[in-house]
Amino acid sequence: MWINITDKGGTFQFNACVCYLPPVDSARNVDTQEFDDTVLSQIHTYGKTGLFFMCGDLNSRCADMEDFIPWVDDIMERDVIDYVSNAYGEILCDFLINSNCCILNGRNTKSNNYTYVSKRGSSVVDYCIVPYENLDMNTVNQEGINKLYGDFVDILKNEMNDCLDYQTVKLQDGQSNKKRRTKKPVWSDHLTVLLNKVCEAEKDMLKC
């Protein structure tokens, strides 16, 4: 799924791609080569319109395989914590080389964690992927990532507030800024009364 964000002036565009690839032994197994070819064609289409990144659960374990061509691409080595590989991981690395993209996991200089943790073990199967040219190694750190994420969230919130219908829910002690779509009337005056009663009961309990 691709999400396109364009400023109102039309001078800046940002595309985000969210992907999911079922596990290798899943009953919903898909043709990974066809999957990669489809995403690659979409990158050639949407990647030309502005900045983009990809993220998602790809169920690919890349171990320490290269996602770029050494001595050709000037890319920082990944800090690998999951040294187990699978067939999807090899296919993913080939896809990244063909699309001139690389894995952001392990290239964050302050934090590098597993993305899946269970009783059976830990692994890295969820990835953020960016084009080579958008990977500025001098600014890849947690503070920079947090700032970019915060800016992205603000853009989405402002766009939703401007484009979606909503109603203000009045509470006992003031007004709530929670936005509720009027086209899906899941909120009612009766629920507001019940919520006010819960708030009053909570205040009484805290005074005890």
Side-chain angles (χ1 to χ4, degrees):
M1 178 179 69
W2 284 84
I3 302 172
N4 174 265
I5 299 175
T6 306
D7 69 344
K8 293 182 178 179
T11 58
F12 175 81
Q13 288 194 46
F14 177 78
N15 297 301
C17 178
V18 182
C19 300
Y20 172 73
L21 191 62
V24 176
D25 55 353
S26 171
R28 297 179 295 171
N29 194 20
V30 300
D31 186 338
T32 54
Q33 193 62 54
E34 182 179 351
F35 176 87
D36 289 346
D37 289 343
T38 300
V39 176
L40 184 60
S41 65
Q42 292 173 346
I43 287 177
H44 290 158
T45 300
Y46 301 112
K48 295 179 181 179
T49 61
L51 299 175
F52 79 91
F53 83 98
M54 299 172 54
C55 62
D57 181 1
L58 300 177
N59 282 297
S60 305
R61 304 185 71 174
C62 299
D64 57 353
M65 290 183 286
E66 303 286 3
D67 56 351
F68 63 96
I69 302 177
W71 312 110
V72 175
D73 301 311
D74 185 17
I75 303 294
M76 174 190 288
E77 294 281 350
R78 287 186 297 124
D79 180 16
V80 179
I81 57 176
D82 180 7
Y83 285 92
V84 178
S85 63
N86 63 8
Y88 279 5
E90 184 175 354
I91 294 174
L92 174 61
C93 288
D94 289 339
F95 163 78
L96 294 173
I97 292 174
N98 292 332
S99 61
N100 291 327
C101 294
C102 63
I103 297 171
L104 191 58
N105 307 52
R107 292 187 168 99
N108 176 354
T109 58
K110 290 191 176 182
S111 177
N112 185 25
N113 296 318
Y114 294 100
T115 62
Y116 175 80
V117 179
S118 71
K119 294 181 179 179
R120 295 185 298 174
S122 304
S123 61
V124 177
V125 292
D126 305 271
Y127 297 96
C128 283
I129 296 171
V130 296
Y132 292 161
E133 60 269 20
N134 293 342
L135 185 64
D136 185 351
M137 293 306 169
N138 295 322
T139 60
V140 176
N141 53 57
Q142 192 62 48
E143 182 179 354
I145 292 174
N146 289 344
K147 183 180 184 304
L148 289 174
Y149 179 75
D151 293 342
F152 177 65
V153 171
D154 289 340
I155 291 173
L156 285 181
K157 289 173 64 177
N158 292 335
E159 191 70 16
M160 291 174 66
N161 289 337
D162 292 340
C163 299
L164 298 180
D165 297 329
Y166 65 88
Q167 63 181 9
T168 301
V169 180
K170 295 183 179 180
L171 301 181
Q172 186 73 21
D173 55 352
Q175 290 187 339
S176 169
N177 60 355
K178 293 182 179 180
K179 312 299 183 182
R180 302 186 184 276
R181 296 185 62 178
T182 57
K183 294 181 180 179
K184 293 184 178 180
V186 296
W187 196 260
S188 65
D189 293 338
H190 177 63
L191 290 177
T192 300
V193 173
L194 293 178
L195 180 59
N196 288 335
K197 290 182 179 179
V198 171
C199 292
E200 291 178 359
E202 182 182 15
K203 289 180 181 179
D204 293 339
M205 182 189 69
L206 293 175
K207 292 178 181 178
C208 298

